[in-house]
Amino acid sequence: MSRPGIHHPGASAVAAKGWVQANKWLLARRLSQALVVAVFLTGPLWGVWIAKGTLASSLTLGILPLTDPLMVLQGLLAGHLMTATALLGAAIVLGFYVLVGGRVYCSWVCPVNAVTDLAHWLRLRLGIEKGLNLNRDTRFWLLGGVLVAAAATGTIAWEAINPVTVLHRGLVTGSILGLGSAALVTAAVFLFDLGVAARGWCTHLCPVGAFYGLIGRAAVLRVTAVDRAACDDCMDCFSVCPERHVIAPALRGAAKGVGPVILSADCTNCGRCIDVCSKTVFRFGTRFRNAPTDAPTGSAEADAAAPPAKVA
Ligand code: SF4
Ligand code: SF4
């Protein structure tokens, strides 16, 4: 039931499209995030080895190496020798995210995303004000610090405290120490986002997200406000977007001759704006169909892309 005075983004979309359509990309992402953990668990639990290792470095089905390129970069800066398999795995992961958008890692793979989304959802429900005003560029300074720390210490020091690594490792290993560390990190990120700064961790601080954003700057897969003329200014997309600054140029740029494609590398391709828009303004598309027209384009149907089919 809706509480008076509290904004419920997506309520109009549910009324217009039904609950499933108004949440389909969110459901797909949660399924993807759960599968990313599950493929590492089938081996230890049932002896069916789909993926061995962790998000940092893994071997899928015994043949497909996948390595976190940020981990490889830290290792190289730390003076570690990298195996050919690790470098090949990093190249595969890089190629994937260069195409689909680096921050797809955030919205479709990273287990921390569900934690920060939950904190934001609760913030909206409780009507909590924005809180601490952090600069979005802080994450790039922290990324620089992570790389400098690797070079200065000769270790991959960041990975010991990286919330992404700690949470994933805890879930996959299932050890008391691993699960305890994961619980601590999860609680810290959740409470920070809930009580200190709105979208504090992922949008402002996380160096992993910053790194993946950089490698996805020219991604082909993009969300497009293809039917932006239908926008009724309900602001629901702005409310749910983890990087709300990326929307306005595409949605409101017609008068300035700006095309409808959300080109910012900060966009995570999460699809949540597509879900909550009752006017079906947004769709998945490519960066190439970006003519600055406001006419609804039926041909964009052909441009609509499936969700990222395979995640590292
Ligand atoms: S910003 Fe960091 S913690 Fe958040 S989803 Fe991306 S990688 Fe994960
Ligand atoms: S613009 Fe849409 S797809 Fe991009 S991050 Fe925001 S809600 Fe997600």
Side-chain angles (χ1 to χ4, degrees), residues 103 105-107 110 112-113 116 164 201-202 206 208-209:
R103 303 256 354 247
Y105 177 86
C106 297
S107 54
C110 179
V112 177
N113 173 265
T116 55
V164 183
W201 178 252
C202 293
C206 179
V208 183

mmCIF file of all heavy atoms in Angstrom, residues 103 105-107 110 112-113 116 164 201-202 206 208-209, ligand 1:
data_model
loop_
_atom_site.group_PDB
_atom_site.id
_atom_site.type_symbol
_atom_site.label_atom_id
_atom_site.label_comp_id
_atom_site.label_asym_id
_atom_site.label_seq_id
_atom_site.Cartn_x
_atom_site.Cartn_y
_atom_site.Cartn_z
ATOM 1 N N ARG A 103 29.914 -1.027 -17.347
ATOM 2 C CA ARG A 103 29.152 -1.050 -16.093
ATOM 3 C C ARG A 103 28.044 -2.086 -16.108
ATOM 4 O O ARG A 103 27.304 -2.223 -15.135
ATOM 5 C CB ARG A 103 28.631 0.342 -15.763
ATOM 6 C CG ARG A 103 29.712 1.375 -15.665
ATOM 7 C CD ARG A 103 30.167 1.868 -14.316
ATOM 8 N NE ARG A 103 29.542 1.484 -13.103
ATOM 9 C CZ ARG A 103 28.862 2.299 -12.307
ATOM 10 N NH1 ARG A 103 28.684 3.559 -12.650
ATOM 11 N NH2 ARG A 103 28.363 1.865 -11.177
ATOM 12 N N TYR A 105 28.945 -4.932 -15.821
ATOM 13 C CA TYR A 105 29.515 -5.702 -14.703
ATOM 14 C C TYR A 105 28.787 -5.340 -13.407
ATOM 15 O O TYR A 105 28.471 -6.222 -12.603
ATOM 16 C CB TYR A 105 31.010 -5.393 -14.574
ATOM 17 C CG TYR A 105 31.683 -6.083 -13.414
ATOM 18 C CD1 TYR A 105 32.184 -7.370 -13.544
ATOM 19 C CD2 TYR A 105 31.812 -5.451 -12.183
ATOM 20 C CE1 TYR A 105 32.801 -8.014 -12.482
ATOM 21 C CE2 TYR A 105 32.416 -6.082 -11.116
ATOM 22 C CZ TYR A 105 32.910 -7.360 -11.263
ATOM 23 O OH TYR A 105 33.515 -7.988 -10.196
ATOM 24 N N CYS A 106 28.542 -4.045 -13.211
ATOM 25 C CA CYS A 106 27.896 -3.594 -11.981
ATOM 26 C C CYS A 106 26.461 -4.100 -11.876
ATOM 27 O O CYS A 106 26.052 -4.620 -10.840
ATOM 28 C CB CYS A 106 27.903 -2.068 -11.915
ATOM 29 S SG CYS A 106 29.544 -1.359 -11.841
ATOM 30 N N SER A 107 25.697 -3.915 -12.933
ATOM 31 C CA SER A 107 24.265 -4.169 -12.805
ATOM 32 C C SER A 107 23.869 -5.620 -13.061
ATOM 33 O O SER A 107 22.795 -6.045 -12.635
ATOM 34 C CB SER A 107 23.476 -3.253 -13.745
ATOM 35 O OG SER A 107 23.940 -3.365 -15.053
ATOM 36 N N CYS A 110 27.928 -8.013 -10.472
ATOM 37 C CA CYS A 110 28.445 -7.739 -9.120
ATOM 38 C C CYS A 110 27.404 -8.039 -8.034
ATOM 39 O O CYS A 110 26.283 -7.529 -8.083
ATOM 40 C CB CYS A 110 28.884 -6.275 -9.024
ATOM 41 S SG CYS A 110 29.494 -5.878 -7.372
ATOM 42 N N VAL A 112 27.373 -6.963 -5.042
ATOM 43 C CA VAL A 112 27.133 -5.799 -4.178
ATOM 44 C C VAL A 112 25.949 -4.975 -4.701
ATOM 45 O O VAL A 112 25.266 -4.287 -3.937
ATOM 46 C CB VAL A 112 28.406 -4.929 -4.087
ATOM 47 C CG1 VAL A 112 28.169 -3.676 -3.257
ATOM 48 C CG2 VAL A 112 29.553 -5.732 -3.485
ATOM 49 N N ASN A 113 25.691 -5.069 -5.986
ATOM 50 C CA ASN A 113 24.624 -4.267 -6.587
ATOM 51 C C ASN A 113 23.264 -4.510 -5.928
ATOM 52 O O ASN A 113 22.495 -3.566 -5.711
ATOM 53 C CB ASN A 113 24.553 -4.575 -8.091
ATOM 54 C CG ASN A 113 23.367 -3.920 -8.762
ATOM 55 O OD1 ASN A 113 22.326 -4.548 -8.917
ATOM 56 N ND2 ASN A 113 23.514 -2.665 -9.130
ATOM 57 N N THR A 116 23.189 -2.525 -2.641
ATOM 58 C CA THR A 116 23.031 -1.073 -2.750
ATOM 59 C C THR A 116 21.658 -0.716 -3.336
ATOM 60 O O THR A 116 21.086 0.304 -2.985
ATOM 61 C CB THR A 116 24.164 -0.466 -3.606
ATOM 62 O OG1 THR A 116 24.216 -1.110 -4.872
ATOM 63 C CG2 THR A 116 25.500 -0.624 -2.923
ATOM 64 N N VAL A 164 33.469 -6.189 -3.397
ATOM 65 C CA VAL A 164 33.024 -7.130 -4.445
ATOM 66 C C VAL A 164 33.697 -8.484 -4.231
ATOM 67 O O VAL A 164 33.048 -9.539 -4.211
ATOM 68 C CB VAL A 164 33.376 -6.586 -5.846
ATOM 69 C CG1 VAL A 164 32.836 -7.526 -6.914
ATOM 70 C CG2 VAL A 164 32.845 -5.174 -6.033
ATOM 71 N N TRP A 201 28.045 4.226 -2.280
ATOM 72 C CA TRP A 201 29.164 3.373 -2.644
ATOM 73 C C TRP A 201 29.324 3.259 -4.167
ATOM 74 O O TRP A 201 30.351 3.641 -4.721
ATOM 75 C CB TRP A 201 29.020 1.973 -2.014
ATOM 76 C CG TRP A 201 30.150 1.089 -2.435
ATOM 77 C CD1 TRP A 201 30.088 0.053 -3.303
ATOM 78 C CD2 TRP A 201 31.528 1.211 -2.067
ATOM 79 N NE1 TRP A 201 31.343 -0.488 -3.505
ATOM 80 C CE2 TRP A 201 32.242 0.212 -2.749
ATOM 81 C CE3 TRP A 201 32.226 2.083 -1.223
ATOM 82 C CZ2 TRP A 201 33.613 0.050 -2.622
ATOM 83 C CZ3 TRP A 201 33.604 1.912 -1.094
ATOM 84 C CH2 TRP A 201 34.281 0.905 -1.785
ATOM 85 N N CYS A 202 28.324 2.736 -4.848
ATOM 86 C CA CYS A 202 28.504 2.402 -6.273
ATOM 87 C C CYS A 202 28.668 3.644 -7.149
ATOM 88 O O CYS A 202 29.450 3.640 -8.096
ATOM 89 C CB CYS A 202 27.331 1.575 -6.772
ATOM 90 S SG CYS A 202 27.253 -0.070 -6.034
ATOM 91 N N CYS A 206 33.114 3.420 -5.460
ATOM 92 C CA CYS A 206 33.684 2.114 -5.821
ATOM 93 C C CYS A 206 34.694 2.219 -6.973
ATOM 94 O O CYS A 206 34.338 2.560 -8.104
ATOM 95 C CB CYS A 206 32.589 1.131 -6.200
ATOM 96 S SG CYS A 206 33.269 -0.476 -6.684
ATOM 97 N N VAL A 208 36.101 -0.225 -8.501
ATOM 98 C CA VAL A 208 35.851 -1.284 -9.493
ATOM 99 C C VAL A 208 34.866 -0.774 -10.539
ATOM 100 O O VAL A 208 35.075 -0.915 -11.747
ATOM 101 C CB VAL A 208 35.315 -2.561 -8.809
ATOM 102 C CG1 VAL A 208 35.131 -3.669 -9.835
ATOM 103 C CG2 VAL A 208 36.246 -3.008 -7.700
ATOM 104 N N GLY A 209 33.781 -0.160 -10.066
ATOM 105 C CA GLY A 209 32.811 0.413 -10.995
ATOM 106 C C GLY A 209 33.441 1.492 -11.862
ATOM 107 O O GLY A 209 33.149 1.602 -13.057
HETATM 108 S S1 SF4 B 1 30.078 0.117 -8.393
HETATM 109 FE FE1 SF4 B 1 31.402 -1.477 -7.454
HETATM 110 S S2 SF4 B 1 30.214 -2.463 -5.838
HETATM 111 FE FE2 SF4 B 1 28.801 -1.241 -7.126
HETATM 112 S S3 SF4 B 1 28.028 -2.699 -8.587
HETATM 113 FE FE3 SF4 B 1 29.811 -1.708 -9.562
HETATM 114 S S4 SF4 B 1 31.585 -3.029 -9.030
HETATM 115 FE FE4 SF4 B 1 29.897 -3.607 -7.697
#
